[in-house]
Amino acid sequence: MRGSRVRTVAVVGASLAGLSAARSLRKQGFDGRLVLIGDEPHRPYDRPPLSKEFLSGAVGEADLALEGDDEDLDAEWVLGSGAVALDRGDRSVRLADGRSVRADGLVIATGAAARTLPGSEGLEGVHVLRTLEDARALRDELASGGRLVVIGGGFIGAEVASTARGLGLEVTVVEAAAAPLAGPLGVRMGGVVSSLHALHGVTLLCGVGVKALSGRRRVEAVLLEDGRSLPADAVVVGVGARPCVDWLEGSGITLDNGVRCGADGSTDVPEVVAVGDCAAWYDPAAGGHRRVEHWTGARERPALAVTALLSGGTAAQQPPRPPYFWSDQYGVRIQFAGHAALADSVTVEEGTEADRSFLAVYRRSGVPVAVLGVDRPGPFTRRRRQLSSTAAAPPTVAPAAPMSSHGP
């Protein structure tokens, strides 16, 4: 079926990316049957506050709602039962509770799930942070105070450490890499940003992995590969996320660290597009496919995918804007746009690293490919616009590995 014959669209995934796709469908004139499927029982909610304001108790669950009070998408909501299979023959999505939803068009927005630490299953006091239920459990845990060990120094880990420290806990962050945030920011700037931990009394241990967790019913310590043992009353595992695409095995849709898509979210199956954390879009600037787990991408990219879905892939489109994310740590706003991995140089052009308030520009052969702002929102926004205007003609580079990093 081509775009004009799509009369029923199923959006599989009811978080930000799925909601953004549903909004785009209605905005672009789709007036057919719209079904939103979600494995969680909740209507769409905002995830970035889970590691910050919600975790600290500054906001409640009602404040997380993504839908407006008067918003009506004229959609059917199927919540609390996730997709387990896709029958490509009759274009039906089979759900965990046995129901099926048939559709002419499909938006895959099933997101990603937090990776766990092998051997931690069933051990009390060990947490991940991805869902509202995760955040509820961790918030209750932190209320007891004590010693928290965060495994993984990425954005989720850093934000949890910041929040926990603000609540008065003794916090240690363990990062296996030589420097936290080296993937999204590069080694130098990752080191600068992660120095915020020490400034606020958080212990940061880099270049060492975790061997195991010890404890009978409840975690008591984190055992490091170098022989050290870190006493712990609670542990947060922040070691990345895996795309939720197992339910698509055998469907004919190509999977490669997520759903493999073109630069507009199109898959290799007609009338099927993918968006959000589960989608590995082709990135012309990077010369390869990559998942971009950022809030802004989940909000903006679905409009491109919906255009491709409704037009049958015939509409000419501009490539998506360069990836953008922000993070709030210890009262400092960190903003980043572009691809640090493409750069051959990075220069601080405003402020100083020592003051933790600066603007840094990443370049390749003199062409800006990324920008980092630390407590410089105005200058960062101007540079980001300039970066977007040059993104249509990026420098030629070798294919890059998929990028997966936290983006509120």
Side-chain angles (χ1 to χ4, degrees), residues 39 80 90 101 104 159 178 197 245 343 391 404:
D39 59 347
D90 66 0
V101 176
D104 307 316
E159 290 174 1
H197 292 303
V245 294
S404 174

Side-chain angles (χ1 to χ4, degrees), residues 18 74 106 139 177 257 272 278 318 327 333 377 380:
D74 188 23
L106 186 67
R139 183 181 60 182
N257 186 39
V272 178
C278 70
Q318 292 293 320
S327 178
R333 171 57 63 99
F380 173 85

Side-chain angles (χ1 to χ4, degrees), residues 178-389:
L181 305 174
L185 303 183
V187 174
R188 176 185 163 193
M189 289 300 149
V192 173
V193 170
S194 61
S195 67
L196 289 167
H197 292 303
L199 288 174
H200 292 83
V202 171
T203 301
L204 174 61
L205 305 177
C206 294
V208 59
V210 171
K211 182 179 181 181
L213 304 181
S214 68
R216 295 183 179 180
R217 291 177 49 189
R218 183 177 180 85
V219 67
E220 297 175 1
V222 177
L223 308 180
L224 304 184
E225 290 180 342
D226 62 7
R228 283 179 289 178
S229 177
L230 306 177
D233 299 302
V235 170
V236 173
V237 180
V239 293
R242 57 173 181 80
C244 296
V245 294
D246 293 350
W247 67 283
L248 292 169
E249 294 285 353
S251 67
I253 294 174
T254 301
L255 305 178
D256 181 11
N257 186 39
V259 180
R260 191 178 178 92
C261 303
D264 59 0
S266 297
T267 71
D268 48 7
V269 174
E271 278 73 56
V272 178
V273 298
V275 297
D277 295 356
C278 70
W281 283 35
Y282 179 75
D283 188 332
H289 293 79
R290 55 172 62 193
R291 289 192 304 117
V292 178
E293 298 181 53
H294 304 321
W295 187 94
T296 306
R299 187 187 65 178
E300 295 178 348
R301 291 189 173 195
L304 302 178
V306 163
T307 299
L309 174 65
L310 297 180
S311 69
T314 61
Q317 296 190 355
Q318 292 293 320
R321 299 174 68 188
Y324 163 71
F325 62 82
W326 78 89
S327 178
D328 294 310
Q329 302 172 25
Y330 306 103
V332 175
R333 171 57 63 99
I334 300 158
Q335 296 171 281
F336 184 86
H339 301 287
L342 304 184
D344 55 28
S345 68
V346 56
T347 58
V348 173
E349 305 202 349
E350 293 189 30
T352 66
E353 297 175 29
D355 291 335
R356 276 81 183 179
S357 176
F358 63 89
L359 183 83
V361 178
Y362 299 68
R363 291 181 172 85
R364 184 181 183 90
S365 301
V367 178
V369 293
V371 58
L372 167 67
V374 177
D375 265 353
R376 294 271 169 158
F380 173 85
T381 299
R382 291 192 293 273
R383 283 287 191 172
R384 183 190 174 203
R385 291 196 192 103
Q386 295 171 5
L387 185 69
S388 298
S389 68

Side-chain angles (χ1 to χ4, degrees), residues 9-15 33-44 75-83 93-102:
V9 174
V11 179
V12 188
S15 192
R33 181 184 178 216
L34 176 59
V35 184
L36 281 93
I37 301 168
D39 59 347
E40 295 185 64
H42 317 289
R43 296 286 280 247
E76 300 172 34
W77 293 85
V78 181
L79 302 176
S81 185
V93 178
R94 183 157 52 89
L95 307 183
D97 63 7
R99 288 180 291 174
S100 291
V101 176
R102 189 185 180 283

